Amino acid sequence: MHAGESLVKVVLSFGSNCGDRIANIVSALEWFRSLATDCCFSSIYETPEIHGQGAPYMNAVGSGFVNADFDAFLRLTKLYEVKNGRDTSSRLQGKVPIDIDIVICDNDILRPLDFVCEFFQIGYKELLK
């Protein structure tokens, strides 16, 4: 992140369907807290895999302000995923140690399909309260 850039509000979806799913989410939330200011997080909750074929997910939604442009922050999220076991092999097996998606950035819904899904809406509604 570079000094002098403006703060950008992001709302992220966090998910994990393998290993210690809760610990995976907690670690990702702590990682996000280390990069963002004014963080808010939903509770951690379980939802079924959206296609009904894989393992259930633990999920959370978080929001905060980051001092980076969108592309730089997106690269950081994907690097975090890879460092925490999200690779080609895990993808092929349907195992998701951690998935972090930027669903909303500066009030723009970037992932409309995720935005309407239960796995996002449960946590997002908690943040809006």
Side-chain angles (χ1 to χ4, degrees), residues 6-68:
S6 60
L7 291 176
V8 175
K9 183 173 184 182
V10 292
V11 181
L12 307 180
S13 173
F14 299 86
S16 175
N17 77 348
C18 66
D20 187 337
R21 299 173 301 156
I22 292 174
N24 294 343
I25 297 294
V26 168
S27 294
L29 298 179
E30 290 171 355
W31 167 82
F32 178 58
R33 187 186 303 277
S34 76
L35 297 176
T37 59
D38 295 329
C39 293
C40 296
F41 299 106
S42 71
S43 60
I44 297 173
Y45 51 92
E46 186 175 69
T47 60
E49 195 271 337
I50 60 173
H51 303 293
Q53 298 172 348
Y57 279 76
M58 296 307 291
N59 303 275
V61 173
S63 68
F65 292 87
V66 295
N67 191 17

Side-chain angles (χ1 to χ4, degrees), residues 79-117:
L79 181 60
Y80 181 87
E81 290 177 353
V82 169
K83 284 183 175 180
N84 287 277
R86 187 115 193 251
D87 57 21
T88 303
S89 174
S90 70
R91 288 177 197 274
L92 292 173
Q93 297 173 41
K95 293 182 178 178
V96 181
I98 192 66
D99 181 33
I100 304 171
D101 291 316
I102 306 167
V103 179
I104 303 171
C105 182
D106 274 346
N107 297 316
D108 292 328
I109 299 171
L110 304 180
R111 297 180 64 97
L113 296 178
D114 288 355
F115 181 81
V116 299
C117 285

